[in-house]
Amino acid sequence: LARPTTFMNGSGRAVQALCQRFSVTEGARVIVVHDELDLPPGRVKLKRGGSEAGHNGLRSIVKHIGSTDFVRIRVGVGKPPKGQGPSWVLGVPDGQEAAAIEAS
């Protein structure tokens, strides 16, 4: 388990370095946990492969490891109010949303 110290947009560099360090050559052996706006807070879904769906962190990972075949653990954070996308995912959830995310 690794937690990148890079910004989300650069998380692919961290994943690539880990793949090199541990001789992981297949994207299917990589598991990524990420926030998902299209799921309600705390809802978790497992997915293998697919597009980046506008997620900058996933885009960076695909670019650096050259594969979309990795496993994604999608943790719902809910839809932000209009115009508040970046502050929504970078902010600290409150109340029921925080409890639902923590429980997942």
Side-chain angles (χ1 to χ4, degrees), residues 24-31 48-49 65 67-71:
V24 174
T25 58
E26 301 170 27
R29 293 190 59 211
V30 175
I31 300 172
R48 180 174 177 175
I65 69 168
S67 175
T68 60
D69 198 31
F70 52 91
V71 174

Side-chain angles (χ1 to χ4, degrees), residues 12-24:
R13 289 191 318 269
V15 174
Q16 180 184 40
L18 284 167
C19 286
Q20 289 172 345
R21 180 174 181 196
F22 294 104
S23 301
V24 174

Side-chain angles (χ1 to χ4, degrees), residues 17-77:
L18 284 167
C19 286
Q20 289 172 345
R21 180 174 181 196
F22 294 104
S23 301
V24 174
T25 58
E26 301 170 27
R29 293 190 59 211
V30 175
I31 300 172
V32 175
V33 179
H34 69 87
D35 57 352
E36 180 61 62
L37 297 175
D38 291 331
L39 294 175
R43 177 91 188 264
V44 177
K45 279 195 168 184
L46 186 67
K47 178 181 179 181
R48 180 174 177 175
S51 73
E52 301 95 11
H55 194 287
N56 292 332
L58 295 178
R59 183 176 296 122
S60 175
I61 292 168
V62 169
K63 175 183 171 187
H64 284 86
I65 69 168
S67 175
T68 60
D69 198 31
F70 52 91
V71 174
R72 300 129 195 254
I73 299 175
R74 303 163 55 207
V75 180
V77 295

Side-chain angles (χ1 to χ4, degrees), residues 80-89:
K82 191 168 183 98
Q84 294 184 18
S87 62
W88 183 263
V89 296

